[in-house]
Amino acid sequence: FGSSIWHKHCEGLALLPSSYFRWRCFLLHCRLKPATTAFAARRSNRRNRVIVMAPRTTPQPYTRARNAYSSLQKERLAADHHAYFPAVLEGCPQIVKKQAIPADEKDAGTIKGLFPATYDTPLVEFAPGESGDQSKRPPVKVGVVLSGGQAPGGHNVIAGIYDGIKQWNPASTMIGFLDGPHGIFTGNFSEITDSIMDGFRNTGGFDMLGSGRHKIETEEQFKDSMTVCSTIGLDGLVVIGGDDSNTNGAVLAEYFKANGCKTKVVGAPKTIDGDLKCPPYIPVSFGFDTACKTYATLVSNVAVDALSAQKYYHIVRLMGRSASNIALEVALLTRPNACLLGEEVARDKKSLKDLTVEMADMIQERSKLGKDYGVIILPEGLIEFIPEFNTLMAELNDKLAEPGVEPTEEGILKVLSPSNAEVFKFLPDFIRAQLLLDRDPHGNVQVAKIETEKLLAATITQELQSRKAAGTYKGHFKTQFHAYGYEGRAGLPTIFDGSYCYALGATAAGLLCNGLTGLIASVKNLLAPAREWQCGGVPVTSLCVIERRKGKEKPVIKKALVEMEGPMSQPYTAYIKMRDTLRFTDAYNVTGPIQYDMETCESSKDIPITLQLELGKDMKPLPAIPEPMKMGKFLFIGQPLESRSELQQWRSSRKHQLPDSLKIDSLYQAEIKEISSTMCKESDFEYLKKLFSTMEAPLVQLQQAGWGTMTMRKTKSEVGLTTAGINADAQRIGVVFCGRQAPGCHDFLCGMVDMLSKSPSSKVLGIIGGTQGLFAKQVRELTPEICRAYAGTGGLELLGRTVDRLKTDEELENAKKACEDLGLTGLVLVGGARTNSDAAYVAEYFAKAGSRTAIIGVPCGIEGNMVNEFVEASIGFDSAAKAIAQLVGNTAIDGSSARKYYYFLRVMDGASTGGRTSTSHLALEVALQTKPNMLLLTEEVDEKRLSLRELVNSVANMIAARAERGSNFGTILVAEGLLSAIPEFRNLISELEAIPMPNPVDKVLAQLTQWSRALFQSLPDFIQHELLLERQSNAALQMSQLETERLLAALVEDELKQRKKDGTFKGSFSPVCQFIGYQARCSMPSDFDMDYAYTLGATSTILAAGGRNGYMALVTDLSSPVANWRAGGVPFTAMLSVPGSDNSGFRPRPVIFPHRVDLDGGAFKTWLEERSRCANEEMYENPGPIQLSGPSASGVSKTITMKFSYLQELEELRNHFADVVSRCRPGCDLRTVRVAKQSLATLNLIMDELAGGESAVEQREGFSSRGRLGTMLV
């Protein structure tokens, strides 16, 4: 790059001085031979008459305003930016120029040669100035562009720039370039106004302008960029991007300055990967904090899930291909059992075998401690840090490119070197196949597509199987896989990121207003309050080094990897100090959801932990974790409050809310009021009567003793109803978690304990280890102190769970004997429809045996299908829906920012009964909260009897319609049990469930019918494999293991390819698939779930103490404030139904059916009203993380607030009956009697029709079809 060489090249071209630098930039980025390139281009233009379109120089109408906002988004939009505005930037700050900072010594000469006009730019800092007269400062016109991948806080950078230039002079204007750097050289831009800017403050994503990964590289692009900027009169341009984008911005600044363009160029440091930091000037890149806290929330949730079930290793892959900064930050935040760092692997030259043995050793040692579970995190780029793997990839690419080499294992092993052949043979089968078959258009192996977590799990499994065969390992290794990435890129920025980004934007504005160029905004002193932050700018050239990229030497900002030694190694050192302890001690730190209440929640203001350590703050020591107590197959670990995270400790101080009717000091003050007798489905009555000794037991309501006479006026229908007090002495009530994990279960325990704690000699006994723990009488007395440490926490880690089953005679007898031995006066079973169905039979068994133990059921489950006319919600549904909605909202906004992906998001839902009664309540609720482009609902597909082909066509039609409007992106929600609703799949699933699993494919095919066999064989290999996985405890197919979203995406892609071939589709389609479930079901509970669970805990305790055997605890009127909720109980028999019988006449066991989405209900109708617009436009709302305080904390899921109040309707009906009776007393007018009689007779006839006709109505003593309403009147 010597000057003489450049002049020699340029002499023959007779380039003008102003063109000279353009030519250098052209060569620098394109790397083409100068002697041939220009002339070839000219000849090509002359021969082919290439017409180069001039860039646009007039603004485009702005069309990307958001159409909807969630409650939290509105709250954040209105947040006062002055709370986090550095004082030094107020008014008109003074520029203090410091010395020029040289680049790295070995590259300084080269970099100076590449940036002669801007190399000597000095470092600058801002000092306080005077506000002065704004009108005396000339207005500026500034452009802004978003470059590269999304990072939370980008909109706040723009807001800081906007407000900064308006502070300089209110007449200043901003130009926003659309869809990345491409918008600069094509002139695709809009003018940003107050209303536009105010619609994006403190919001996530880059959808305000859109982003792109283009770079300004060619001579023509540089020239067009300058033409656009000069023509529209830009004084400055801010490039918001990562290391490559800011390097590109520096080249643009050099080009503009060398060519006399007045536009100055500065940058803002963006990347969630955390690899753009240059201490002390750029201590951290923006977006890193929000992304890591989002991932930490999810890792925390799966850690709680691991503790609750104690049967899975959760292996989590996090973003970070070139650096492991995210993995390290998340590890420091959450304390998993292992975190693999790519930089450490590369330094120690670890092989895949080394990593496998290292993890297998940990798993084996944990198994000896009774821990066949754990959490392992790793960066997505881990595999590329393994030296031997890179060597293998290089040789594979070379050999597969040679003619005659077959892409088979046998063929490739013949040509690989011995060392690479050994590595290749060590890989699992599916990875070997992927390396040979899945290659890019250039024929290279697509390493980025390798799912590292599955690769590692497969090699660990092989190693453990070898050890098991040798007798050195006796444990179980089951895995759940998670890959977190896109959901972290577009979330609402944390308080830190929002503040930091706003300061970066205001700093960039200050640099441009002072005529500076070639700088990147710098904000320091981040341990101090935001008002004390120090702001300035550092020259980009001082941060650059020369690296070889794609075979060429290029200037780049050096990537910041995890430092293992040196001045910035504090985070790594802190992790190493606790790593060995974490391998065997479950010291998981639950960070909880990101919070925005700066007034009451101190942890909302936390800055990244790696940044804290790098700035000199010490790492807190690990908390003392009690030694686990082995109780059967479950390890009981009673964690003290002091071991909890700061957010959990703060949350535990929240006082639970109770309905007014339950605000009592002890059980003595509680009263059970019988409302009216209940009934089951009339056609089921005789059959149920054979199974249950007590039918038509009364619905009951709980209240304070004397409540009806002292504090409330009785309604007409309540006159004469029975009330009963409570025996509060010597109660021993046990509680078992039978169902799956759900947020709020620990608050349920708090409600039980608080209600019983003031009763003499009474205790709540927690059954450890679910139903198996009940049989083994594994109990722990629950005290207020224990419960307080778990208040507001997710999961079931205190008591755990096992198989959800109490069904056989042996199990029922074991349960009765355990209750007798424990002296239980009550047993509370917490779970979903299956649990409460079993509870009905347990209660009957106990009653017939004369047991004094009252069985009480409690509705619980994130799937939300343990609802019916009586039950308005199940514990955990609200929290899980909100946690999932945040991830869907983040992802949808990410899609509208990048504008090139279709996200297929499968939502964990109610498919626990193997597809026969799959439900989609969660999917519907999440859709109502986030407004995706499409919702594939199990119940709707089932009702319409859609085939797989029809379903694929409907998705493809929506995508094609959006493509015609220029929108090649979107978000599609897929209910987990969707495949079970497709007729041909339902038959296949039914047949597969009759075959014991696991089983070889050939044996399975032999047992399938012709049609099901054909369908099975037509499916992709991954779906075939998943259909044959181990079954659930009830022998049903594990719908959560079926990658339905991946299957749909693949079939839609094939359909669109065919349409493109036919000329009917001209868009693009790039699908990204994700499953959302485990990362949400152990979330910290919302305010609603805390209070609802707590109230149910108190309710179930009163029912048990009152001896109400065979009842489910109820809390109704949930759309009202908590004070107005009504607590009570309903007999199981009122909710039982008989499934349809087969042709043999056999009548199945009556059960409580999981409630399916009501397609005529208010929630689904609300979605129908919005569906068309959602498909056509971007109506996305991002609910954000669950808020534990502040205005948004009180929100309740839409499907709960829209719920029809069955009990309230019954009460109104009874009041109408009471009115009729009152008006038809002896002595009333004869006409009144006749009208009433005829009206009731007509109503009875109508009700007979609704019940299935007169012949279908069961006749029973004292309750004929003609006398039903009359009986109710009496």
Side-chain angles (χ1 to χ4, degrees), residues 762-785:
S762 294
K763 295 179 181 179
V764 174
L765 299 180
I767 311 297
I768 309 296
T771 52
Q772 299 298 315
L774 173 63
F775 302 151
K777 293 170 282 192
Q778 297 163 187
V779 301
R780 181 83 175 193
E781 182 183 348
L782 300 180
T783 63
E785 293 72 29

Side-chain angles (χ1 to χ4, degrees), residues 15-46:
L15 294 178
L16 297 173
S18 63
S19 302
Y20 167 69
F21 183 76
R22 292 204 296 272
W23 180 247
R24 285 182 64 181
C25 291
F26 177 63
L27 294 177
L28 176 64
H29 291 277
C30 295
R31 293 312 195 187
L32 299 174
K33 293 182 180 180
T36 60
T37 303
F39 293 117
R42 290 175 183 177
R43 285 196 301 270
S44 175
N45 285 340
R46 284 197 299 267

Side-chain angles (χ1 to χ4, degrees), residues 196-265:
I196 294 172
M197 187 68 258
D198 289 344
F200 289 93
R201 294 177 186 272
N202 288 313
T203 61
F206 281 5
D207 54 318
M208 177 181 177
L209 300 178
S211 185
R213 296 189 180 274
H214 324 90
K215 293 179 184 175
I216 302 173
E217 296 184 304
T218 68
E219 162 66 6
E220 184 179 9
Q221 290 169 351
F222 276 99
K223 180 179 178 181
D224 288 345
S225 297
M226 187 169 70
T227 298
V228 171
C229 292
S230 298
T231 304
I232 64 178
L234 282 192
D235 296 291
L237 172 67
V238 183
V239 177
I240 303 172
D243 51 354
D244 284 349
S245 298
N246 275 283
T247 302
N248 199 212
V251 175
L252 192 63
E254 176 76 13
Y255 182 86
F256 283 178
K257 187 171 183 179
N259 286 275
C261 177
K262 77 167 185 175
T263 306
K264 314 302 181 188
V265 183

Side-chain angles (χ1 to χ4, degrees), residues 393-433:
M393 294 303 99
E395 188 174 8
L396 271 178
N397 287 333
D398 290 342
K399 297 302 182 183
L400 290 172
E402 293 178 1
V405 176
E406 295 183 5
T408 63
E409 289 191 26
E410 183 179 354
I412 201 66
L413 285 172
K414 290 179 181 178
V415 296
L416 285 178
S417 63
S419 60
N420 281 335
E422 286 302 311
V423 176
F424 185 79
K425 287 188 287 186
F426 180 73
L427 297 174
D429 294 345
F430 71 95
I431 294 293
R432 293 201 298 268

Side-chain angles (χ1 to χ4, degrees), residues 361-373:
D361 287 345
M362 179 192 77
I363 292 165
Q364 180 173 318
E365 290 303 311
R366 285 180 60 83
S367 183
K368 291 177 181 177
L369 298 172
K371 299 180 177 182
D372 286 316
Y373 63 90

